[in-house]
């Protein structure tokens, strides 16, 4: 009998080796209704262009990304936007939190959130923010992980059919650490 697949959670400095998997992940997330800023159908070229832009931001130290692999395949990602304004160097924003639909329900989203919190702490960030569609599983995970809801913004975004949905805003204070997260 085969045991559980090995889980690999890690921060990357370049997306190039993972581009194929990341394109698949983004298209899968958009096609399955994830509220991550895109509307379906998302073309492969749009996904490639997006990840190239994100890679540039990683190279300019304005963004960090944590990936999760199962059996050498990237099946999840979460991003940390590093605010650069002088009065905001203590905080960061969680963005584009996604897990491949065929791997959901295995705790990978929770692992990604915990990993990105460690990255933020290692970068001396003390406050994290995240917004998500009201009613999404992300709300449950955020609440279980000690995040606090500030409120909701009505009609924050829309679906491809033009239906609006509300957005919930969350925050979490964290303690900076001297630990390096790699």
């Amino acid at each position: 009998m085969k045991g559980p697949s090995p889980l690999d959670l890690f921060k990357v400095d370049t997306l190039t080796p993972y581009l194929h998997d990341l394109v698949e992940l983004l298209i899968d997330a958009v096609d399955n209704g994830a509220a991550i800023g895109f509307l379906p159908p998302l073309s492969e070229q749009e996904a490639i262009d997006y990840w190239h832009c994100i890679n540039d931001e990683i190279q300019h130290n304005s963004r960090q990304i944590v990936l999760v692999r199962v059996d050498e395949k990237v099946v999840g990602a979460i991003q940390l936007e590093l605010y650069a304004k002088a009065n905001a160097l203590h905080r960061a924003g969680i963005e584009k939190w996604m897990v491949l639909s065929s791997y959901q329900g295995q705790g990978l989203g929770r692992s990604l959130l915990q990993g990105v919190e460690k990255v933020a702490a290692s970068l001396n960030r003390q406050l994290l923010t995240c917004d998500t569609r009201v009613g999404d599983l992300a709300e449950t995970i955020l609440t279980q992980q000690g995040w606090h809801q500030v409120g909701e913004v009505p009609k924050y975004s829309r679906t491809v059919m033009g239906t609006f949905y509300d957005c919930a805003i969350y925050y979490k204070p964290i303690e900076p650490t001297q630990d390096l997260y790699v």
Side-chain angles (χ1 to χ4, degrees):
M1 184 167 140
K2 185 178 176 185
S5 299
L7 175 86
D8 186 16
L9 185 71
F10 59 105
K11 181 180 81 70
V12 297
D13 296 324
T14 181
L15 300 180
T16 305
Y18 314 103
L19 186 59
H20 176 77
D21 288 349
L22 289 169
V23 166
E24 180 184 347
L25 174 63
L26 182 59
I27 291 171
D28 176 77
V30 173
D31 285 351
N32 284 286
I36 55 174
F38 298 94
L39 293 174
L42 182 68
S43 73
E44 184 175 336
Q45 189 58 55
E46 287 175 294
I48 290 169
D49 292 346
Y50 170 75
W51 288 117
H52 282 297
C53 287
I54 295 302
N55 197 54
D56 288 346
E57 291 180 21
I58 292 168
Q59 301 311 306
H60 290 101
N61 294 317
S62 62
R63 184 169 303 273
Q64 297 286 312
I65 189 166
V66 174
L67 303 177
V68 63
R69 283 190 301 201
V70 175
D71 294 329
E72 300 299 315
K73 177 180 181 57
V74 173
V75 298
I78 192 168
Q79 297 177 34
L80 184 68
E81 181 183 7
L82 302 173
Y83 304 128
K85 302 278 189 219
N87 70 344
L89 296 175
H90 66 290
R91 60 185 166 94
I94 304 296
E95 297 183 349
K96 306 294 188 280
W97 181 13
M98 59 189 125
V99 173
L100 201 62
S101 60
S102 58
Y103 285 84
Q104 292 177 3
Q106 300 178 32
L108 300 179
R110 180 172 282 105
S111 294
L112 284 165
L113 183 62
Q114 292 169 347
V116 83
E117 287 178 10
K118 289 178 182 177
V119 170
S122 75
L123 296 171
N124 202 34
R125 303 299 165 135
Q126 300 168 34
L127 180 67
L128 298 177
T129 60
C130 182
D131 64 73
T132 188
R133 182 171 42 209
V134 170
D136 274 0
L137 176 60
E139 282 197 287
T140 301
I141 296 171
L142 289 165
T143 301
Q144 289 173 348
Q145 296 300 306
W147 287 66
H148 309 281
Q149 185 179 13
V150 175
E152 295 180 7
V153 180
K155 296 185 177 181
Y156 186 77
S157 197
R158 65 179 180 84
T159 67
V160 71
M161 300 303 291
T163 305
F164 290 101
Y165 60 85
D166 300 344
C167 174
I169 312 291
Y170 287 83
Y171 75 94
K172 183 177 184 179
I174 61 170
E175 290 293 323
T177 179
Q178 298 302 313
D179 297 337
L180 293 178
Y181 187 89
V182 292

